[in-house]
Amino acid sequence: MWKYLLRRSLYAIFTVWVISILAFAVIQLPPGDYVTDLVNQLRSQAGEVSPEWEARMRAMYGFDDPFIVQYWKWIRNIIFRGEFGYSFFYRRDAGVMIMERLPMSFALSFSSLMFVWAVALPIGFYSAVRRYSMVDYFASFIGFFGMSIPNFLLALMVLFFTYKYMGGAVIGLFSEEYANAPWSWGKFMDLMSNIWVPMIIIGISSTAGLIRTMRANLLDELNKPYVETARAKGLSEARLLIKYPLRHALNPFISTIGWMLPGLVSGETIVSMVLNLPTSGPVLFNALIRQDQYVAAGFILMLSTLTVIGTFISDVALAWVDPRIRLQ
Amino acid sequence: MRKSILIINLLLVLALLFAACTKTPETPAVVDEGAPVVEEEATTDDEAAADDEELAVDDVEEVIVEEEVVVPAKFNEAPMLAEKVAAGELPPVEERLPLNPMVVKPADQIGTYGGDLRYGFTGGPTWGGMLYIAQWEHPVTWKYDFSDFEPNIIESWEANAEGTEYIWYLREGLKWSNGDPYTADDITFMVNDFLFNVEIFPPAGGGADWLPNELREGFSVEKIDDYTVKFIFPAPYGTFMLNLAPWGGRYFAQYPFNYLKQFHADYNPDVDDLVAADDAVEDWVGLFLSKAPATWGDPSYFFDYPELPSLGPWIVTQPVGAGTTLIMERNPYYWKVDTEGNQLPYTDRVVATLYQSDEARTFAMLNGDLDFIKDAGDANRELYFDAVDDGKPLKLLLPNYDMGNMQSIHFNLTTKDPVVSEIFNDINFRIGMSHAINREEIIEVVYKGQGKPAQVCPVESSPLYVERLCNQYLEFDIALANEYLDQVLPDKDAQGFRLRPDGTRFQPIFTVINDSNEGQHWVQVAEILIEHWKVVGIDALLNAVGDTVWNEQREANNIEIFMFHGGEGGSGMTAIIDNRWHVPGSHWGIFGNGWTRWYATYLGDLDEDAVEPPQYVEDIRAMYREAIAQPTREGQVEIMREIMELSADYLWTLGISRAGTTIQPISSRLGNVPETYYKGWLQGFDKILRPEQWYIIQ
């Protein structure tokens, strides 16, 4: 087990390193840089700029250096000083912005994941055991319905219906009084009372998929001989189901933690834009549009790292739950 | 019902303008009530003078500036400031105000102090609307009705007869938001130590939009005394003051000398210590540019840095940063009072909320959670009308757009492909394309029935209105369109599409920006146009791109057909400020993009994508220089009208429709907001409504 853990952590560190290079390179792929953006603004607002001025700005921001030098400066500051660079657009420290937004994204994604599990598990279980029942059909219908509606559309519909029929659109994660207040118990409760709307909207599309996976896995198991045997031995139906086939069927839940996280985070971006949530998605989106490279690269690095950590945890958990994986 | 609103609005505007046009002879009498602030020397008023509302300047050497209101004898201040004065944190109001503060006549009535102005914005705070609320304080400003401009930061000005020298008289005692005086030094510092500094703008100093490139060489500004400044231009510049009412005027309110000199090597010998203390910069220029609204006079600095002194009515106390709220508090040194001597602004704070999407902002506004938003969106018209009917605490204003047209369609006459360029340069091609457009359909489908077919041109009430320019080649007539196009591209392929002279199908690329806030409907219009043009055998290919990509294509002059908004230049004299659709080679005149790049080379670097302009373009540009040099309004109008006639001859761009009214929702608790007004970029959007005198109805 220890060997397995060690191997996994080495893989994880290597992956994060490769991601950091990719993240930094991808940001630089689009033609132009922040100075190009600045020059365009200048041209559209005031007039011309000389090439000398443009060159001086490039040198000032360090865009002249070769890729590897820029990358080294960036990653060195992150590793040794914990600094993520500077946001050109917001004119402030990129690291502070990332740290302000990331926990909110994480909280939202995590609560969505919990919601997905809390809903998909029992429904999938029930649908498998009572196959082709009314409840199965109904759950499948709702699940597919949720899956086929893009979540931004769902968010818009929720906005409209709450505006029209509940006297005010549900916008944001905090009420007005708490939006800028420092953290307190009241602010936390306020967050809890507002988070369920985006949580359901983001989670609902993943729910359908997981219901189907759960149902299919369990159905596979239900027809296996060991189930027959257990039943023949006179085990009660509930105890039987929970003790054997359900444990098998749970595997996909655990192994998908890793890749469900990025899915939730990207789903979060567009829903956050519609519902006006102070999460990382919209800031990342703007940074990409405006070539605000340190903010964008920092976010991508942090989100990727979280995903890698998520995968690592799920691998470990899976190995713990299922001895067969450990031995491979 | 909407049509009737439109008609009523048009009538109102016409009535206003008519009133403005006819008032000239009586004007001095109006000024006489009370003691006028500025000494007057009767403006001459030959009846032939000023075909419109403008300052009548003939042979008189001085431009007389009238103030219609009297400076009150006693000043009052907001309770929150009175408390600070009592606590000894602030000097009394008399000492904070200039000797002669600007007196703002409230739009409706004297307001009451207090409350928060709740604003909603998307994108960044500056362009999301704060610029037009809390900045945009220029040397001169528009009157409410856009009939003219009047002194704002400065007390008055005079010009010599040729229009080469201007003397400004500043308001003595006017102060920046940190209490530093605003003097001649602030102006000379901005010009000599910032714009013309060769270290900040290598190699020869920068340019500014209020200073035409041709006038840069030989321009100077002199301090006569603390409150008197003289501008000397090498050639006449008759529209100097007019150019300072819109965006160009910002430079004069953005560079507080007393604060910025510590970051400037010429004034602080120890500046290197400050540079060393700042991780992010490597030399004093970097430091200076990080503290002053850098490069092109970028006003967003005022919303990011609370320590930067400002002349605006509110100053930032909490920047938005990575959060979602920007908070501004009243500027204790704001230099405007109402007619009873109450220091403005009326509202204590501006609380601006960042929305990630327009939908969320729209719902908040519909619900009455906000007092004001910029660009509510014509697509949301029905939602707002319904919300008002549902009794939400909202009011809808119907301002008029100041636009030359809803769109401008450009055939780049300087495009790189010589075959395409030759086709575009044949005016019969452009005429044919114009006749092929079913403008009524676009108005009905996209503009929701608001507007009427027109080419890009000033509105009827403008002194620059030329009937032919507006109404030529408008009728939707397929046969006629084909007749014109047959003269240029007679051959067709089996599917009926026209062929280039080399036998391949003529497929010009139609570039449209698809992520512009102001142009959410542009792609829709372009798609309809492509269908219209297919009927007459032109197979244009849609190239819908984001702003960044389009900028690159423009830089490389890689544009064939292009569509943009119709620009300013609708009402009054705005077409002389925004000349881009009528004077080839101007900024954003995409129909002559290669020429624009050619004229952009005053610094000596010839762009490889530049195209040498033909003589007729040179001639028109010379005429334009002549027009802005004219010291009198009539002189300017006369030459500009000739340019408009030429614009009609050359048919530079095609238009679709006159801009109709737009909607501006405000919460019903907001007082002193004029019901109808001209809305546009040159007016500073909401600034023409003077947000400092809005108040919260208790």
Side-chain angles (χ1 to χ4, degrees), chain B residues 7 11 71 201 206 255 272 313 398 416 529-530 568 635 662 677:
Chain B
I7 290 166
L11 284 176
V71 177
F201 296 103
Y255 301 91
D272 286 339
L398 298 169
K416 279 187 171 159
L529 285 173
I530 286 174
E568 276 62 49
T662 179
Y677 61 101

Side-chain angles (χ1 to χ4, degrees), chain A residues 49-60:
Chain A
V49 287
S50 65
E52 286 88 348
W53 185 85
E54 210 175 320
R56 133 182 275 293
M57 294 304 276
R58 283 232 155 74
M60 200 166 101

Side-chain angles (χ1 to χ4, degrees), chain A residues 31 38 40-53 56-57 60 81 86 90-92 97 100-101 156 159-160 163-164 167-169 171 180 272-274 276-278 282 289 291, chain B residues 199-203 209 247 279 283 285-286 295-296 298 300-301 304-305 318 321-325 354-357 359-360 363-364 366-367 387 390 392 551-552 555 587-588 597 600 603 605:
Chain A
L38 209 64
N40 281 336
Q41 286 178 14
L42 178 61
R43 289 215 165 110
S44 65
Q45 302 296 352
E48 283 303 309
V49 287
S50 65
E52 286 88 348
W53 185 85
R56 133 182 275 293
M57 294 304 276
M60 200 166 101
R81 295 154 81 179
Y86 183 72
Y90 294 99
R91 293 204 196 88
R92 58 204 296 266
M97 295 186 47
E100 274 174 22
R101 293 284 181 132
L156 278 176
L159 270 187
F160 184 76
Y163 157 73
K164 195 81 185 168
I171 300 169
N180 293 296
S272 292
M273 294 185 75
V274 175
N276 205 38
L277 311 179
I289 298 258
Q291 308 226 4
Chain B
E199 280 184 81
I200 297 177
F201 296 103
D209 33 16
W247 170 240
D279 269 358
D283 54 15
V285 174
T295 62
W296 44 272
D298 178 356
S300 63
Y301 277 59
D304 289 336
Y305 298 123
Q318 180 192 304
T324 51
T325 316
L354 165 66
Y355 291 90
Q356 322 273 7
S357 74
E359 285 79 15
F363 280 119
L366 283 169
N367 209 38
D390 285 351
K392 299 277 183 185
N551 266 311
E552 271 157 32
E555 291 282 294
H587 272 302
W588 299 97
R597 306 229 48 74
L603 290 162
D605 56 315

Side-chain angles (χ1 to χ4, degrees), chain A residues 1 4 7 319 322-328:
Chain A
M1 182 71 183
Y4 173 82
R7 201 173 64 221
D322 190 342
R324 289 172 302 183
I325 290 169
R326 242 174 300 169
L327 297 174
Q328 274 165 14

Side-chain angles (χ1 to χ4, degrees), chain A residues 108-186:
Chain A
L108 190 56
S109 298
F110 185 73
S111 49
S112 302
L113 187 66
M114 290 297 118
F115 165 76
V116 171
W117 282 1
V119 172
L121 248 161
I123 294 182
F125 182 78
Y126 189 87
S127 302
V129 177
R130 296 272 182 276
R131 189 150 60 130
Y132 305 136
S133 65
M134 279 310 288
V135 177
D136 180 23
Y137 283 129
F138 184 71
S140 303
F141 173 76
I142 294 291
F144 279 117
F145 190 70
M147 194 151 114
S148 52
I149 296 184
N151 49 19
F152 73 89
L153 186 65
L154 198 59
L156 278 176
M157 284 159 63
V158 169
L159 270 187
F160 184 76
F161 281 106
T162 48
Y163 157 73
K164 195 81 185 168
Y165 301 109
M166 288 167 68
V170 232
I171 300 169
L173 278 183
F174 298 103
S175 320
E176 213 174 304
E177 48 178 317
Y178 286 113
N180 293 296
W183 278 102
S184 63
W185 180 248

